[in-house]
Amino acid sequence: MFLLCGCGTASQPAPTTATQLRPQDNNGGSGAAFTFLRGRPRWNRPDMRLTYAVSPMATVDHLPRDAVREAFRSAFARWAEVTPLRFAEAERYEEADIRVGFYLHASGAGGDGCGHIDDKSSRDGPLLAHSFPAKDGRIHMHAARRWTVDLDRDTAAAAVDLESVATHEIGHVLGLGHSSSKSSVMYRYVRYRERKVDLTEDDVHGVQELYGPNPHFSFNAHFNHIDQNKVEQEKGKVRKGKARGSSFWRRGLASISCLCPQ
Ligand SMILES: [Zn+2]
Ligand SMILES: [Zn+2]
């Protein structure tokens, strides 16, 4: 079962279908690559600062709002690491540039329904979320999904990793469309229990084309670093039989290695 990002199904600009070839990308040689949303929307802030907030009203019962805030904080940091953009949590939800909430079709969890997040709008699979680029900035998560922030503790077969989808939706808010590179965060589908939070080279090329690079970010060093962590993770699995650990990287990669059967 694949889960679907509903971006492009609502009134916001649909992802462009013009795939750009990026032969330098390490995406399996398929020629797949990032796209931009139609009209190439982007945030045009001289200081590169954007604020965000998680709705105090449009929530889901099974996740504390602080856990949602933490997942989004981490997801925003991934995009900030590779661009000059800086994200700060707004004190007042209404004043934030990027506003996150959980919604059901028509009658939302917070009494503010979303008319576009209906399952019927997708023939491919259950919708997870959709979002709106500049200068709208809304991110709507489907309130009926089993969102989780800890795949180790939440053993539900239909659990969906919140941070993975948050990272994807932030990419849309910044102006990226769907990538046809299956490994990329901006690929249209994720699986139940899949954790996919690391930006790939394709994701980074895309967002840097919109906003430029973070001067402190080294492309080669970053991706070599991730590869080295994967090597260490594999070593750890062999030693312990099962990858368990408290560090950020161990948690992330352990989850990636235990995808549910389809
Ligand atoms: Zn999407
Ligand atoms: Zn919506």
Side-chain angles (χ1 to χ4, degrees):
M1 172 61 77
F2 291 95
L3 297 161
L4 183 69
C5 170
C7 294
T9 60
S11 55
Q12 77 274 35
T16 172
T17 54
T19 300
Q20 302 184 357
L21 294 175
R22 296 279 148 180
Q24 74 272 30
D25 286 354
N26 179 23
N27 56 21
S30 63
F34 63 84
T35 64
F36 300 120
L37 293 174
R38 187 176 300 157
R40 200 166 161 156
R42 67 186 285 279
W43 298 86
N44 191 13
R45 297 285 169 83
D47 63 0
M48 290 286 189
R49 297 185 76 87
L50 292 169
T51 58
Y52 70 93
V54 174
S55 171
M57 300 294 292
T59 57
V60 280
D61 291 340
H62 61 278
L63 270 188
R65 181 163 170 263
D66 280 351
V68 176
R69 290 172 61 209
E70 175 58 25
F72 272 87
R73 187 201 62 74
S74 180
F76 276 110
R78 296 174 188 281
W79 293 103
E81 185 181 6
V82 303
T83 65
L85 292 165
R86 292 295 167 262
F87 303 99
E89 190 168 8
E91 290 192 11
R92 289 168 55 86
Y93 174 76
E94 303 77 26
E95 295 172 356
D97 297 310
I98 301 166
R99 298 173 306 286
V100 179
F102 294 83
Y103 294 92
L104 294 172
H105 182 64
S107 56
D112 181 17
C114 169
H116 303 297
I117 205 158
D118 189 353
D119 283 345
K120 294 193 191 78
S121 62
S122 164
R123 280 167 289 176
D124 295 343
L127 287 175
L128 289 174
H130 67 179
S131 46
F132 301 77
K135 301 173 181 172
D136 185 308
R138 286 175 294 163
I139 295 178
H140 287 173
M141 315 297 283
H142 200 305
R145 302 291 164 250
R146 173 66 186 222
W147 298 104
T148 184
V149 294
D150 189 343
L151 286 164
D152 287 336
R153 285 172 186 250
D154 189 341
T155 58
V160 181
D161 185 59
L162 178 65
E163 188 177 336
S164 298
V165 180
T167 308
H168 177 102
E169 296 304 321
I170 292 167
H172 285 315
V173 166
L174 297 180
L176 291 175
H178 287 136
S179 171
S180 48
S181 170
K182 289 185 178 177
S183 62
S184 74
V185 162
M186 293 314 297
Y187 188 58
R188 189 181 186 92
Y189 303 97
V190 296
R191 298 180 181 90
Y192 288 118
R193 305 195 61 76
E194 180 175 17
R195 184 161 168 86
K196 193 185 205 182
V197 292
D198 292 322
L199 301 183
T200 65
E201 295 183 53
D202 179 56
D203 296 311
V204 176
H205 278 306
V207 76
Q208 288 190 344
E209 195 152 314
L210 286 172
Y211 296 98
N214 183 330
H216 303 294
F217 175 78
S218 161
F219 214 94
N220 289 335
H222 179 79
F223 287 103
N224 288 340
H225 173 69
I226 285 182
D227 287 344
Q228 189 57 38
N229 272 283
K230 283 181 177 170
V231 168
E232 293 299 319
Q233 179 74 15
E234 289 305 311
K235 284 182 188 168
K237 271 197 286 190
V238 170
R239 270 200 307 273
K240 297 178 183 176
K242 191 168 188 180
R244 288 256 179 224
S246 56
S247 79
F248 171 83
W249 285 110
R250 280 196 183 284
R251 275 193 290 131
L253 292 167
S255 299
I256 286 172
S257 68
C258 60
L259 299 179
C260 257
Q262 299 310 300

